[in-house]
Amino acid sequence: MGSTYEHDYELQQKGMFNAADLEANKQGRYSDAQLQRFQNERDFMQYNAAKYDNKSPLISAIFGIGLLGFAAVLYFVGVFDMLQTMLGGLFLPVLAGLGILAALFVFVIIPRQYKASVEMAKGLGTPLTESPLGEVQTIEARAEAFKSQAGINRRGHQSSKITHILKMDSIEFRLTESFFEVIQPKRLYRVYCVKDQGAWVLLSMETLE
């Protein structure tokens, strides 16, 4: 375990902060560089959300074509004939009811859900002038550092993506791999952080022993 000065230097080299950021956070405020980084992240979210705006008709068309294709497959394999035999005179009313439900799904439910998702993404990109950051929080605790490998990939297998976690008391922060590697478990740190958009963000940290 090296000196606090040497270790603090390592933390600043690998973390996304420097001595000026740390000094500002000690005073309960954000550095100009940190504010700019948060604003850039929100601008990026706004830009990405804007790319998917007004795409509801396209999404409905994709689902509509998919349902028509599925119906065509059912027709050619004889499912409709089987249902007609089973239902008799009820076949057409049932088919009409299913058509109405499918239309509601394609032209009402899907566009609403898609629009709600886009609006949520836009909300994450609200400018700092309209949705400012909260107060800088301070946590003093011994570090717990671990790797998490969770989730299932598209092939149904365990995801190979590894998340590097720093846990201070009950608060967890996601770190880059290089930053994670310099954290010394059980060492006492002081972390400056903020909860933004529902997630805890590590602003800066220093060694206490």
Side-chain angles (χ1 to χ4, degrees):
M1 185 179 293
S3 69
T4 57
Y5 175 82
E6 292 173 342
H7 192 50
D8 282 345
Y9 180 77
E10 280 187 302
L11 294 173
Q12 293 176 26
Q13 288 295 303
K14 301 299 182 180
M16 295 179 62
F17 66 95
N18 55 33
D21 299 326
L22 177 61
E23 189 59 35
N25 298 156
K26 285 182 177 181
Q27 299 174 21
R29 58 184 180 83
Y30 301 93
S31 69
D32 292 339
Q34 288 173 332
L35 290 173
Q36 186 60 56
R37 185 166 67 246
F38 276 106
Q39 186 58 59
N40 290 342
E41 290 174 354
R42 295 192 180 192
D43 289 344
F44 180 73
M45 292 177 185
Q46 278 281 5
Y47 173 76
N48 277 341
K51 292 192 298 184
Y52 297 98
D53 207 2
N54 300 320
K55 293 292 193 301
S56 293
L58 176 61
I59 300 300
S60 294
I62 292 172
F63 274 90
I65 293 171
L67 285 176
L68 287 175
F70 180 67
V73 171
L74 294 180
Y75 174 79
F76 284 114
V77 299
V79 173
F80 282 4
D81 292 337
M82 182 179 64
L83 288 175
Q84 188 172 14
T85 301
M86 293 173 57
L87 297 174
L90 293 176
F91 175 70
L92 288 179
V94 169
L95 188 63
L98 290 174
I100 292 172
L101 288 176
L104 285 173
F105 179 73
V106 171
F107 298 109
V108 178
I109 297 175
I110 288 178
R112 285 184 178 178
Q113 291 295 326
Y114 180 81
K115 185 177 181 180
S117 298
V118 172
E119 290 301 320
M120 183 181 297
K122 284 184 177 179
L124 294 176
T126 304
L128 291 177
T129 53
E130 299 177 21
S131 179
L133 297 168
E135 294 183 0
V136 175
Q137 305 293 318
T138 304
I139 303 174
E140 293 184 8
R142 296 195 178 277
E144 295 181 49
F146 59 92
K147 298 178 182 180
S148 173
Q149 186 176 2
I152 304 298
N153 61 24
R154 293 181 181 179
R155 296 183 179 180
H157 300 143
Q158 182 73 32
S159 173
S160 60
K161 183 178 180 180
I162 297 176
T163 303
H164 300 82
I165 306 293
L166 167 65
K167 186 174 182 180
M168 301 286 288
D169 282 342
S170 59
I171 307 299
E172 294 184 358
F173 304 96
R174 293 190 176 190
L175 306 181
T176 62
E177 183 177 2
S178 59
F179 193 12
F180 177 85
E181 294 298 333
V182 301
I183 299 294
Q184 297 177 358
K186 304 305 180 183
R187 191 162 187 172
L188 186 62
Y189 294 100
R190 180 185 292 125
V191 165
Y192 300 93
C193 56
V194 64
K195 193 171 187 179
D196 182 51
Q197 311 286 5
W200 284 99
V201 180
L202 190 152
L203 300 169
S204 60
M205 64 187 297
E206 59 184 337
T207 314
L208 295 182
E209 66 174 20

